[in-house]
Amino acid sequence: MQSEPQDLHRGLGERHIRLMALGAAIGVGLFLGSANAIKLAGPGILLAYLLGGAAIFIIMRALGEMAVHNPVAGSFSRYAQDYLGPLSGYLTGWNYWFLWLVTCVAEITAVGIYMQVWFPGTPQWAWALAALAAMGSVNLIAVRAYGEFEFWFAMIKVVTIVLMIVGGLGMIVFGFGNNGVATGISHLWSHGGFFPNGAKGVLMSLQMVMFAYLGVEMIGLTAGEAANPKKSIPDAINSVFWRIVIFYVGALFVILSIYPWNELGTTGSPFVMTFERLGIREAAGIINFVVLTAALSSCNSGIFSTARMLYNLGQQGQAPRTFAITSASGVPRKAVLVSVVVLLFGVLLNYLVPEKVFIWVTSISTFGAIWTWAVILLSHRKFRAGLSAEQRAGLEFKMPLYPIGSWIALAFLVLVVGLMAYFPDTRIALFVGPAFLILLVVLYYALGLGKRAAANG
């Protein structure tokens, strides 16, 4: 291991980043958690995903413009530091680290639950520990190893959803799996209408919808390790919106067309039901394997993200400088190890209170994601303001609809926070999230991190 801070290695190829972008946008929530959102909004959930996807597209284009102009490790934390000030960069970096740790707790817990299907009676915490050890090891090898695992994890999810959409469309149009009788799409409006719970139902579902999109901003973190960021980052970001439309909206369109929305969630996963109707008897086992890889994928990405954020904070003097040290293979191993050790707390939660964690985790993670997305938009506005007219004209990957798009996306994020405050189940996030940020501010000034960051800058 090197004794001085070293650069990260650019070991991520275009195919890695393309599939990572897609894998980040397809989480466990689509396979198992979509039923809860459907209960709130009915078929109107399709509109909720489109609205959320449009906001995410604007945010990602803002991030992409900065990432192509200046591809650095730390991404939005570094941009916050450069354009909004050291305190903003510090808060965004540590907030993102905390966000992914909380999310990883949910994912390793999910691994323990999924393994119960095949190995009932085995301790859930043991599988959670095994998942953490495996993904931690992958992240310690080299960034290319992480990229390969993430590529194949994402490929499994993509193939499954494509097969489900194609098979489902066959059932809708030709009656495959339904004795030759085409189901059509009348279920979209024949059970209380397209908005059975009105606008309130769609609004209530937005928090879950935005949690599903958590992770797409991770594309920006790959900029510091992409072999050709000026090509791979725009390609990945440009495809995010269309992938969301196809994989989220397309899959849910098929499911909601085949089954009445008010029957979903009562008899298991909609994906399992669809594959079983198509004659695939082992559907439950197949989907269990897919969601298991989805959980491992998210855990893998979480460890990658937290380690890179610690690396960036170490470089900026806002965390111990030892986190900015990389191995000979370009991996910030101390940053990886610290994140894995902290995640052992998640294994302990699996042992103590696994059944109480999930709604808290999703809401706290959503708050952290909204902070990150808002900082990306605000950093981008300052970035643009600091450019000359000639520099703005020469940008290689311009954000569309600027500046109106920025204001619309920010207003949408404020709406989601307001909805989280309105509903009791998600209100805890507005206590935990701000409390963590306040703690960070206190530490920032108590430890003199602002002066240290200024000295390093």
Side-chain angles (χ1 to χ4, degrees), residues 75-86 88-90 92 375 379:
S75 187
F76 36 85
S77 174
R78 178 65 65 87
Y79 303 142
Q81 156 117 350
D82 292 345
Y83 306 123
L84 301 178
S88 295
Y90 163 82
T92 302
V375 164
S379 298

Side-chain angles (χ1 to χ4, degrees), residues 75-374:
S75 187
F76 36 85
S77 174
R78 178 65 65 87
Y79 303 142
Q81 156 117 350
D82 292 345
Y83 306 123
L84 301 178
L87 178 59
S88 295
Y90 163 82
L91 289 176
T92 302
W94 281 109
N95 167 76
Y96 200 69
W97 179 78
F98 180 66
L99 178 164
W100 268 109
L101 286 179
V102 172
T103 304
C104 280
V105 169
E107 300 301 345
I108 61 174
T109 301
V111 170
I113 293 171
Y114 301 145
M115 292 303 289
Q116 300 295 312
V117 174
W118 293 321
F119 302 99
T122 54
Q124 183 174 305
W125 66 265
W127 293 114
L129 180 61
L132 179 59
M135 294 302 95
S137 298
V138 167
N139 274 272
L140 285 169
I141 300 170
V143 69
R144 190 169 185 85
Y146 159 78
E148 285 296 332
F149 269 84
E150 203 55 32
F151 176 86
W152 291 108
F153 280 154
M155 185 67 77
I156 290 169
K157 292 185 282 188
V158 169
V159 170
T160 302
I161 295 173
V162 168
L163 289 175
M164 200 283 299
I165 291 175
V166 171
L169 288 174
M171 196 182 303
I172 292 168
V173 179
F174 302 109
F176 295 160
N178 198 43
N179 299 317
V181 179
T183 62
I185 61 172
S186 62
H187 283 315
L188 290 175
W189 60 79
S190 59
H191 301 276
F194 190 76
F195 299 106
N197 297 323
K200 182 179 180 181
V202 175
L203 291 173
M204 287 175 65
S205 70
L206 282 178
Q207 183 265 324
M208 293 184 186
V209 166
M210 296 313 288
F211 175 73
Y213 291 144
L214 190 161
V216 293
E217 70 292 325
M218 195 188 71
I219 299 169
L221 292 179
T222 67
E225 292 166 274
N228 186 9
K230 292 186 183 297
K231 185 176 188 303
S232 56
I233 298 299
D235 286 351
I237 287 175
N238 272 335
S239 61
V240 165
F241 179 73
W242 297 113
R243 286 164 173 169
I244 286 169
V245 169
I246 293 170
F247 289 101
Y248 272 98
V249 180
L252 291 176
F253 171 82
V254 166
I255 289 169
L256 289 164
S257 297
I258 295 172
Y259 302 103
W261 72 270
N262 49 3
E263 293 180 12
L264 293 172
T266 59
T267 54
S269 166
F271 279 76
V272 173
M273 293 162 61
T274 302
F275 278 123
E276 286 178 342
R277 281 188 67 170
L278 290 169
I280 302 175
R281 296 180 180 178
E282 299 300 323
I286 292 171
I287 295 300
N288 195 62
F289 172 74
V290 172
V291 295
L292 178 64
T293 60
L296 288 171
S297 169
S298 186
C299 182
N300 193 30
S301 297
I303 295 171
F304 173 88
S305 300
T306 54
R308 269 55 185 182
M309 202 52 76
L310 283 181
Y311 170 86
N312 178 64
L313 289 165
Q315 279 195 323
Q316 294 176 183
Q318 295 171 339
R321 290 284 288 170
T322 187
F323 292 148
I325 296 175
T326 63
S327 66
S329 57
V331 174
R333 286 183 174 168
K334 289 185 179 180
V336 171
L337 287 170
V338 166
S339 295
V340 170
V341 168
V342 174
L343 278 170
L344 288 172
F345 178 68
V347 177
L348 178 63
L349 287 179
N350 272 271
Y351 181 75
L352 297 175
V353 286
E355 72 285 350
K356 296 182 179 180
V357 174
F358 285 101
I359 187 66
W360 295 355
V361 163
T362 58
S363 54
I364 293 168
S365 295
T366 303
F367 176 85
I370 288 172
W371 172 278
T372 301
W373 297 333

